[in-house]
Amino acid sequence: MSTPPLTTETHPRTGALATAILGTVILVLNLLESMLVPALPLIQAGVGASTASITWVFTGLLLSGAVSTPLIGRLAELHNKKTVFFVVWGVVVAGVLLSALATSIVPLAIGQVLQGAGLGFAPLAIGLVRETQSAEKAKTSTGLLIGMSALGSVAGLLLSGPLLTVLSYHWLYWLPLAALVLLGIVAVPVFPATPAGGEGRIDWVGAVLLSAGLFAVLIALTEAPAWGWSSAQFLLLAALGVVLLAAFTTAELKMEQPLVDLRAGGKAVIITCVVAFAVGWATYAVYVALPTIVAAPPSVGYGLGGTPTTAGLLLLPLGVLGAVSAALTGRLERIFGSKTLMILSCLPVVASSAILFLARHDAAVLALASGLAGLGIGIGLTQAMNIVSSSVPVERLASASGFLLVLRQVGGTLGAQVSGSVLAGGLIEGTPLPTWSSFGAIFWISTVVGLGAIATSLALPRRLAGAAVTS
């Protein structure tokens, strides 16, 4: 028996259950990918991969996620979201299964690429929330979705070590696979059918330009530390990516039915996208620096001499505070207003970078910086989504939110790679460890980027008009 089409007025409980399923799927996928980080050396040995090729465990997922997320968002606007969910679910499950069975790097990398489609669950979920819940409830649900993502990313770092002491790394895939299959079975009767979005079509020209541009930029950023930031390969590939993305922007502004409607929402949406990019950069830079500081022996002038488990525990405040603050963002918006809350959400991002100057040997300061970064992610990303949701027509929300998530991911990639290159460029003589002044440089850069997010947020309109809903 099929589930009838759903609206805000009919069966809101069904929409809430479907959102819970999507949120749990997002939690499981983030848990899976973060569990792989400590296991990377074991995976490399298991598939006989080189140091360069094993990076595709994450690079492949990042690239496919960046490319597929806006496309999945647009498909969710045009077709029954239940159908789109199960197509993406099938691709992701196939990817996890392939990675679990892989005995060489090629099937492992292909599996990771397929799993990247799972990043499209977020805009699909946000579109469903806005379509099936009232505006106020939708803000709380969006916060819960963002929070589950943050919590999964940190929880995986804590769970990976204990699991690997008793199980092979393959179980890091098998356990999430079992959870995903179970969630898919539960979703069959629960997930609502939603009305198709009219007679629109996919803008394949825009999809190709965006995909090629993001691919070029992300490959350039990923390989920059090895190639060199001034190398011909990096400069040419980055320039090609920028040209393609500029062509994408021009084409979308002229299209009657673009892949991502850059005109929808106006100034407010553009500003939130810039803020999402900046928050992604600053928080990922902290994410890169903290484990390195924890692992360094105190004899080098900084560090705790800790284990990966210690680093995971110190990153736990990021996940917990990110999850809690994201869920409370809707209430905070009613207290402070949209613009003020967006500005305030950038303050902990700046503080998390600035306070790391005091973290040479202090675990408490590292935990505080982690928690502040979590607040920035939880409130900032949720509020950005809420502003987009209130500014963009419902029928274009999934692709708009997907585009915002992609920009946040690109910002995070750029922040991580720049930070990694700065640290690698200033090493303590005779060791592979960065100097403290190298850490200071990335703290300064992240602080400036965070201040840029605050300055950009100040340009938001004081009153944000609700989005028009077209039939």
Side-chain angles (χ1 to χ4, degrees), residues 66-351:
V67 167
S68 63
T69 297
L71 185 59
I72 292 170
R74 183 60 177 145
L75 288 170
E77 292 168 350
L78 296 176
H79 302 288
N80 184 344
K81 289 180 176 60
K82 184 171 187 175
T83 302
V84 176
F85 168 79
F86 278 106
V87 169
V88 177
W89 175 85
V91 171
V92 172
V93 166
V96 178
L97 178 61
L98 184 58
S99 294
L101 295 172
T103 56
S104 64
I105 186 60
V106 173
L108 177 67
I110 293 173
Q112 292 296 120
V113 168
L114 293 176
Q115 290 170 55
L119 296 179
F121 281 126
L124 175 62
I126 290 167
L128 179 71
V129 162
R130 186 65 185 90
E131 193 170 320
T132 61
Q133 298 181 25
S134 66
E136 287 304 313
K137 288 183 178 179
K139 291 178 180 180
T140 300
S141 295
T142 298
L144 289 171
L145 291 168
I146 300 297
M148 293 179 85
S149 174
L151 187 60
S153 296
V154 174
L157 296 173
L158 287 173
L159 292 174
S160 184
L163 286 173
L164 290 172
T165 60
V166 294
L167 299 170
S168 75
Y169 76 82
H170 295 90
W171 285 95
L172 301 184
Y173 288 105
W174 288 119
L175 293 174
L177 178 62
L180 289 172
V181 170
L182 179 62
L183 288 166
I185 294 171
V186 173
V188 172
V190 171
F191 207 102
T194 58
E199 301 298 323
R201 59 182 179 81
I202 297 294
D203 168 24
W204 291 109
V205 172
V208 170
L209 289 172
L210 179 61
S211 300
L214 287 173
F215 187 86
V217 168
L218 291 173
I219 284 289
L221 293 176
T222 302
E223 298 297 332
W227 291 346
W229 291 90
S230 60
S231 66
Q233 299 110 302
F234 169 75
L235 294 175
L236 287 173
L237 196 56
L240 175 62
V242 171
V243 169
L244 289 170
L245 292 176
F248 164 76
T249 302
T250 302
E252 296 301 278
L253 291 173
K254 293 179 179 179
M255 283 279 185
E256 184 177 345
Q257 295 182 1
L259 178 69
V260 179
D261 193 346
L262 300 175
R263 296 159 296 195
K267 181 180 178 181
V269 172
I270 294 172
I271 290 173
T272 54
C273 285
V274 173
V275 172
F277 178 91
V279 169
W281 175 309
T283 52
Y284 269 66
V286 172
Y287 203 80
V288 167
L290 191 146
T292 307
I293 296 173
V294 169
S299 59
V300 301
Y302 65 88
L304 305 179
T307 65
T309 301
T310 305
L313 288 171
L314 290 174
L315 282 169
L316 187 60
L318 186 152
V320 173
L321 289 179
V324 173
S325 63
L328 295 175
T329 300
R331 295 182 183 180
L332 293 173
E333 184 186 20
R334 290 195 291 274
I335 296 172
F336 295 105
S338 294
K339 177 178 179 177
T340 301
L341 184 60
M342 189 77 259
I343 296 169
L344 291 176
S345 72
C346 299
L347 296 179
V349 174
V350 174

Side-chain angles (χ1 to χ4, degrees), residues 51-64 66 213-229 231 233-235 237-238 284 409-421:
T51 302
S53 62
I54 197 63
T55 60
W56 278 93
V57 168
F58 299 110
T59 302
L61 182 137
L62 170 66
L63 291 173
S64 65
L214 287 173
F215 187 86
V217 168
L218 291 173
I219 284 289
L221 293 176
T222 302
E223 298 297 332
W227 291 346
W229 291 90
S231 66
Q233 299 110 302
F234 169 75
L235 294 175
L237 196 56
Y284 269 66
Q409 192 69 47
V410 172
T413 302
L414 186 57
Q417 296 300 339
V418 169
S419 298
S421 292

